[in-house]
Every structure is written in structure tokens, then in C-alpha cells.
Amino acid sequence: MPDGAVDEPDVREEAKHLLDPSASLEWPAPDAVLEMAAALGRRGDFGTARSLLKQALDRGVPPDLVHTFQQQLALSTYKDPELRDAEALELALRMVTGGTTSPPPHGDPDAYGIPGAILKRLHTVTGDRIHLERSLRFYERGWDQLDDYYNGINAAFVLDLLADEMDPEDAAVDGLRARAREIRTGVLA
């Protein structure tokens, strides 16, 4: 096993020991904490991953990793099946966007994809169209600026969802569907 790698079967136990306030264990390097959180996520244990990431942020991580920890904390928060209400999703969104409502002018695929996914889930929970519209802005920015297929496929999907919510006779439906086809064609190119 590579240096700092976490044995997946033992990751939950190791995380629980780290999170135990009565244990006086030395915390692993930040990269190892991120790997533990990812391993917990692969196992569907987003609650423990969330606690681990929050604790690491509270303890302090190097400045160049703060954003990565915040993104992963937001991801674990919105994917946690125990936190499916709008309040938890809004919290995850604030974590990853810093409270802004618009996508950043520049970023990596996750800077657009994670907020887009949270907003899409918010729409599912609340039924508010504004969340889909905001989700589309994030996904389209990730597609338009980075040619990132994840953001592109999701932008096309959200365009279709927006069109599905409209009156089929509305002239804007054709424009939404055409943009969705354009993006799908670009993803496949």
C-alpha cells in the first residue's frame, strides 16, 4: 500500500478513533484525511466523511488545501442521505460557493459541478424552478469554460428539465431543447 494510503475496510474505524474526543491520536497529513474522506464516501458513509472534514478544517489545514476541504465537505453534506432537507442543501451550497449566487469566473470542474448538483437536488426537494436555473448557470459555465463533460451532460439535462416544466407551446422550449442538443453534440465530439 502506498505511503499515506488508507486501507478501505479499516477507514471507518480509523475515522471514528480520530473523531473520538477522548482519544489523543496524532492526526494524519491533510492528503491522508482527504483520502479517508473519499474512501468513506465510496462506502456511502458521508456522515463520517463530513465529520472528519469539518474536524480537519477546525484543526487547521494548509491554506492551499482549504478550498479542497471545503468542496469535499460540501459534497459530503449534500450526498449524506440523512441530510436531505433544503436547509442542509443550502448549507452545503454556502460551503462551496461562499454564499455567492453566481458561478465564479474561473475554476476547476468541481467549482461548477458541485454547486450545480446541489442546486439540482434543491430543486428536487423544494420544486422551486429558480434552483434549476441557478444550477444551469453553474453547469454551463463549467462546460463553456472548461469543456468538462460532467458539467456539459448535466447542463443539457437541466435544460431538458427546464423545458419539461414549461408549456410545450411556449416558444422558449425549442431554444432550451436546441441548446441541450448542442451541448450533447459537443460532449460527444
Side-chain angles (χ1 to χ4, degrees):
M1 187 179 329
D3 235 10
V6 177
D7 185 17
E8 296 241 359
D10 297 329
V11 69
R12 187 160 198 263
E13 282 306 311
E14 186 176 346
K16 286 176 111 178
H17 288 303
L18 284 172
L19 294 167
D20 181 354
S22 66
S24 56
L25 299 173
E26 185 174 326
W27 268 66
D31 288 342
V33 173
L34 286 170
E35 179 51 40
M36 286 177 68
L40 288 162
R42 286 190 294 273
R43 295 179 64 178
D45 191 351
F46 296 106
T48 305
R50 192 178 70 254
S51 296
L52 186 69
L53 292 161
K54 182 166 180 2
Q55 180 82 351
L57 281 165
D58 290 347
R59 289 170 142 303
V61 297
D64 62 321
L65 290 177
V66 168
H67 182 69
T68 301
F69 270 80
Q70 289 171 333
Q71 280 184 331
Q72 295 309 304
L73 178 58
L75 184 69
S76 294
T77 300
Y78 104 82
K79 285 193 168 189
D80 190 342
E82 295 178 18
L83 300 175
R84 291 292 190 211
D85 65 357
E87 187 176 320
L89 294 169
E90 290 283 356
L91 173 64
L93 187 61
R94 281 191 306 277
M95 283 180 211
V96 77
T97 65
T100 64
T101 59
S102 297
H106 304 288
D108 60 49
D110 284 345
Y112 305 114
I114 293 173
I118 294 168
L119 286 159
K120 189 169 54 174
R121 176 87 37 83
L122 264 168
H123 171 263
T124 301
V125 169
T126 66
D128 292 340
R129 182 180 174 88
I130 189 71
H131 296 307
L132 270 186
E133 292 169 351
R134 288 179 59 206
S135 174
L136 177 62
R137 287 198 309 262
F138 278 91
Y139 284 139
E140 276 192 312
R141 179 75 54 91
W143 169 247
D144 291 341
Q145 287 195 356
L146 305 173
D147 284 335
D148 178 65
Y149 73 92
Y150 171 86
N151 282 290
I153 288 297
N154 279 287
F157 179 70
V158 170
L159 283 161
D160 285 335
L161 289 175
L162 287 166
D164 289 346
E165 288 189 355
M166 297 174 73
D167 180 338
E169 301 300 316
D170 190 323
V173 169
D174 289 339
L176 293 172
R177 299 252 189 244
R179 175 71 174 138
R181 278 190 304 278
E182 173 190 324
I183 291 172
R184 284 189 184 95
T185 299
V187 167
L188 294 173

